[in-house]
Amino acid sequence: MLTRELRLALDKLGYSDANLRRAWQDARNEEIAASIIGFVRQAALGDALIPFEERVRAAMQRILAKYPWSDPQRKWLKRIAEQIEREIVVDRSALDREPFQAHGGFSRLNKVFDGQLEAVLGELNEALWDEAG
């Protein structure tokens, strides 16, 4: 019964069976795990599913409001959020790949964040999952 309800809820939000199958084929293992965890958590809490992009935007707003970020830091946070929307998981190794690698990867961005980029990523991840419910 829960499977049917979940499928109907996803379909109402624009996540058709065909779209989910295509995404499943394209997804990496960590993306799959993160999505499954989110869906299970939402089902367990009984809350409505919030589209991932909305959760990313809300989490980013919380992070941006939390500290007095410099303009370069704000710019990079927005780029990281855009990448999270595409990849779901953005961590240290993801920042050493494109589109960040061309800008110096994790090492360069860590300097922009005064050596605190891992902590910032952790806070962003926490805020993102707080937005899930």
Side-chain angles (χ1 to χ4, degrees):
M1 181 86 155
L2 181 61
T3 303
R4 185 172 191 274
E5 291 172 6
L6 181 59
R7 185 173 287 212
L8 289 172
L10 288 170
D11 195 50
K12 284 181 185 176
L13 292 170
Y15 300 105
S16 70
D17 191 55
N19 288 341
L20 289 172
R21 287 179 193 276
R22 189 173 25 251
W24 180 266
Q25 291 171 347
D26 294 341
R28 296 190 330 241
N29 284 340
E30 64 237 17
E31 293 170 340
I32 294 167
S35 294
I36 290 170
I37 290 167
F39 290 135
V40 169
R41 186 167 191 242
Q42 290 303 127
L45 295 174
D47 292 339
L49 289 171
I50 299 169
F52 187 70
E53 293 79 14
E54 285 183 37
R55 289 184 12 224
V56 172
R57 283 190 288 277
M60 184 54 61
Q61 288 304 312
R62 287 178 55 194
I63 293 296
L64 288 171
K66 194 170 183 177
Y67 301 107
W69 303 104
S70 68
D71 287 339
Q73 289 171 331
R74 285 180 172 276
K75 178 183 83 169
W76 283 111
L77 285 169
K78 289 177 183 178
R79 287 181 178 175
I80 290 168
E82 290 168 3
Q83 194 66 14
I84 289 172
E85 287 182 18
R86 286 189 288 275
E87 288 192 24
I88 298 177
V89 176
V90 174
D91 56 10
R92 184 181 184 132
S93 65
L95 294 176
D96 281 329
R97 296 188 306 265
E98 291 304 332
F100 302 101
Q101 184 179 24
H103 300 282
F106 179 86
S107 295
R108 165 81 169 61
L109 293 177
N110 195 37
K111 289 178 185 173
V112 172
F113 286 91
D114 303 319
Q116 298 298 311
L117 185 53
E118 286 192 82
V120 170
L121 291 174
E123 282 190 54
L124 180 55
N125 187 49
E126 185 177 310
L128 178 63
W129 292 108
D130 285 348
E131 289 301 322

